[in-house]
Amino acid sequence: MIFMGRIKRLSRLAKREAIKSDYRYKLAAIVLKGGSVLSVGHNTVNKHAEVNALQRVKNAKGCTLLVFRLTKTGFGLAKPCIKCQEYLRLRGVEKVIYSLGRDEFVTERVT
């Protein structure tokens, strides 16, 4: 289980990744497995952050994906879109944690 303190530490990594995006909405995704960061990715005009991060991982089965949307005041809603949710399911991601607001996060099982 990932606790809030760990999410806050990972949010610093997410901020560094999200600012690399040239896109208007700056998102970052972090792939975790067994407590280790396997990959990070940000969104581009052609690819969502979730896809960018997962394409760098050979075996995503059982992984957790964190998705953050960077705003001027912190984090905003970063729930994966329907297509990304399907991609997570196909890759075997176990759960997704996404930013909901400033210091709020939602955890969902991928089904």
Side-chain angles (χ1 to χ4, degrees):
M1 178 173 219
I2 298 174
F3 295 99
M4 196 59 173
R6 174 106 165 117
I7 290 175
K8 287 190 182 244
R9 285 191 299 278
L10 289 167
S11 72
R12 290 190 287 274
L13 173 61
K15 284 179 184 177
R16 287 193 304 269
E17 185 65 24
I19 61 173
K20 294 177 185 176
S21 175
D22 291 329
Y23 198 56
R24 179 178 170 198
Y25 299 104
K26 299 187 179 301
L27 284 99
I30 302 171
V31 181
L32 299 172
K33 191 167 191 175
S36 297
V37 174
L38 298 183
S39 176
V40 296
H42 62 274
N43 62 323
T44 64
V45 173
N46 299 324
K47 216 180 278 185
H48 289 189
E50 302 93 325
V51 175
N52 267 333
L54 284 167
Q55 284 183 336
R56 298 178 181 137
V57 175
K58 188 173 184 176
N59 180 9
K61 187 173 183 179
C63 287
T64 297
L65 184 73
L66 280 79
V67 187
F68 299 84
R69 177 175 164 221
L70 189 59
T71 68
K72 292 177 183 178
T73 60
F75 290 113
L77 178 61
K79 183 173 182 172
C81 71
I82 297 295
K83 287 182 180 182
C84 284
Q85 289 176 34
E86 179 64 13
Y87 185 70
L88 301 180
R89 190 184 67 71
L90 290 172
R91 290 295 312 270
V93 173
E94 187 175 296
K95 87 178 137 175
V96 62
I97 300 170
Y98 59 88
S99 61
L100 186 61
R102 193 171 194 141
D103 282 325
E104 298 176 87
F105 295 88
V106 173
T107 301
E108 293 181 354
R109 288 226 171 268
V110 177
T111 56

